[in-house]
Amino acid sequence: MPSESTEVKRIVMYLRGGKGNVGQIRTERLLQFAFEETLVIAPYYRGYEGNGQDEFGGRDQADVVYLIRLLNDMYPDIPIHLIGFSRGGLQGLLTFEQAPVTSFVFWAGVSSIYYMYEERPDLRGLLHKLVGDPITDKAAYDKREAIQHITSEAPPVMIIHGTLDKNVGVKHAMLLDEQLETLKVHHELHIIEGEAHVFQPNALDRILQEIHRFMLECEVERNK
């Protein structure tokens, strides 16, 4: 992260996965994105340590939008890049057009809450508690069905997913890719063979280089 004397040329906001106290923000994770002249920041969603109620893409979206707008006020004209991991992918897709960002990295992310309900029977109890039943509470699920809320005005998106991911199936990446293709949104698809939800060191190093390259290219396009 830049020191007080270093000029901030970009901001990376990391949107974590998990729920409540599960999937806490770790310093070592944020440091992976501390590229040169980069400020790295991550919001705590409401529900962390009993602070409010996590609604899994409900009012907790406001925590992300508010922080983006605050950063825009503090650092006008500085590009902001979102990185959404796992549940953070859903969070980012639901918010990245409400508060302007330069790019969005969708990493092992949830793009469809309906498909998440289908593929993870072990999480249905949690979803019932936080969102409701997908039939009787269809409006709540539709509100969180991220891929259906994307428009052609979306910023560039980089999709990253491992083929062996058992936490969030690779189909989420393919669903998002198809939707972005239909909307003609600039995007890249990186399906990493043999990697699970958390990448091994060699694959991690390579994808971090690709993320940095993608951000720099998006900044060049932004400044044209």
Side-chain angles (χ1 to χ4, degrees), residues 22-169:
V22 178
Q24 297 182 26
I25 297 168
R26 297 179 292 110
T27 302
E28 55 267 33
R29 180 61 160 169
L30 300 185
L31 287 174
Q32 292 176 345
F33 312 112
F35 309 120
E36 186 177 359
E37 299 174 311
T38 302
L39 172 66
V40 183
I41 193 167
Y44 283 100
Y45 311 139
R46 61 191 66 191
Y48 177 72
E49 293 188 344
N51 182 20
Q53 175 63 44
D54 189 342
E55 296 182 359
F56 210 86
R59 287 180 294 178
D60 43 293
Q61 288 174 243
D63 303 329
V64 180
V65 174
Y66 177 79
L67 184 53
I68 294 173
R69 291 175 177 167
L70 181 64
L71 290 168
N72 273 319
D73 289 340
M74 294 174 63
Y75 298 93
D77 301 321
I78 298 296
I80 297 177
H81 304 273
L82 291 186
I83 298 178
F85 178 76
S86 195
R87 172 261 182 94
L90 179 77
Q91 210 81 11
L93 289 175
L94 291 171
T95 59
F96 74 159
E97 291 180 294
Q98 296 182 46
V101 297
T102 300
S103 75
F104 179 44
V105 175
F106 181 86
W107 192 341
V110 174
S111 63
S112 168
I113 195 169
Y114 281 111
Y115 182 63
M116 180 184 179
Y117 187 93
E118 177 185 333
E119 74 168 341
R120 292 290 303 273
D122 57 314
L123 294 181
R124 289 176 187 173
L126 173 66
L127 289 172
H128 282 169
K129 179 180 178 181
L130 299 181
V131 184
D133 181 85
I135 297 176
T136 58
D137 299 291
K138 186 175 184 299
Y141 276 78
D142 287 346
K143 179 182 176 182
R144 294 164 173 81
E145 183 65 352
I147 56 174
Q148 297 303 317
H149 294 285
I150 305 169
T151 74
S152 60
E153 301 302 313
V157 180
M158 181 184 213
I159 306 169
I160 303 166
H161 220 111
T163 58
L164 300 183
D165 194 333
K166 302 300 182 184
N167 296 67
V168 179

